[in-house]
Amino acid sequence: MRTVPSDATDATAPAGQTGPAYIAFLRAVNVPGRKVEMARLREVLTQLGFMGARTYIASGNAFFTGAGNDRARIVERVEAGLAEAFGFEVPTILRTTDELRTELAASPFVGRQPAPDERFSMVYSSGPLTDGEFPLRSAKGDWEVLGACGATAYVRWRLVNGRPVNPVPAIEKTFGVQATGRFFHTSEKILAAAGKG
């Protein structure tokens, strides 16, 4: 599968609020030693000046508006605020709702059901993956990146001894980015939840 450039336009925020509606994907939260309570996360985002802060499940997915359009500055503000609030760095990847909608629509997983030993996931990165040659496979064959849309990779996992192997560190090293993954079906639910605000 070839890389698909992302050409989505930013969604506009509700009247009186500036900038698009954002989804923030937080990396490696609520794992041992990295507890981030969702109520506290919403509180921190609100204190940082973002509007309508909401969260979806405890894996670190937040929605907000009123942030403007300077994405690098938004990430900087969020990461600094979370580090101060929780005492450790929380890498943050941003997407607008329109971008996530485009990335889901371009996915090779649309309309497919994984086999019992498969998992389909989206890996969201901080930079473009347009220079990659796909498919990109692990040496052990336990995962492969089938393609990408902008800065999001489509990854098929193979279970090894009943467990998936995390491809995110390899993707970060290969492309020089920060990244975090969500299962494809979870990403669909995140988009749906973001639209209910």
Side-chain angles (χ1 to χ4, degrees), residues 26 29-30 33-45 78-90:
L26 310 185
V29 300
N30 293 331
R34 297 176 58 85
K35 184 173 179 58
V36 173
E37 295 178 349
M38 295 298 102
R40 178 63 175 140
L41 172 59
R42 294 190 294 272
E43 182 179 280
V44 171
L45 292 172
V78 171
E79 291 183 341
L82 296 183
E84 181 176 351
F86 296 107
F88 51 84
E89 292 185 359
V90 183

Side-chain angles (χ1 to χ4, degrees), residues 48 70-82 92 94:
L48 290 171
D70 187 342
R71 195 171 300 217
R73 175 63 181 140
I74 296 166
V75 169
E76 181 180 295
R77 286 170 62 196
V78 171
E79 291 183 341
L82 296 183
T92 301
L94 288 185

Side-chain angles (χ1 to χ4, degrees), residues 1 9 27 29 45 55 68 83 89 111 118 134 140 145 151 164 177 180 190 192:
M1 177 179 174
T9 57
R27 183 182 177 199
V29 300
L45 292 172
T55 55
E89 292 185 359
E118 286 183 319
F134 304 110
K140 295 181 179 179
V145 180
V177 295
T180 187
I190 289 170

Side-chain angles (χ1 to χ4, degrees), residues 42-124:
R42 294 190 294 272
E43 182 179 280
V44 171
L45 292 172
T46 299
Q47 291 171 348
L48 290 171
F50 303 132
M51 299 178 185
R54 296 179 296 121
T55 55
Y56 177 75
I57 63 177
S59 59
N61 313 290
F63 319 128
F64 54 83
T65 58
N69 294 291
D70 187 342
R71 195 171 300 217
R73 175 63 181 140
I74 296 166
V75 169
E76 181 180 295
R77 286 170 62 196
V78 171
E79 291 183 341
L82 296 183
E84 181 176 351
F86 296 107
F88 51 84
E89 292 185 359
V90 183
T92 301
I93 309 297
L94 288 185
R95 293 292 184 270
T96 67
T97 52
D98 277 356
E99 287 168 344
L100 181 56
R101 186 175 296 107
T102 294
E103 292 166 352
L104 285 165
S107 167
F109 308 131
V110 174
R112 294 179 56 188
Q113 291 294 322
D117 67 340
E118 286 183 319
R119 298 292 182 270
F120 297 156
S121 73
M122 312 267 284
V123 174
Y124 302 101

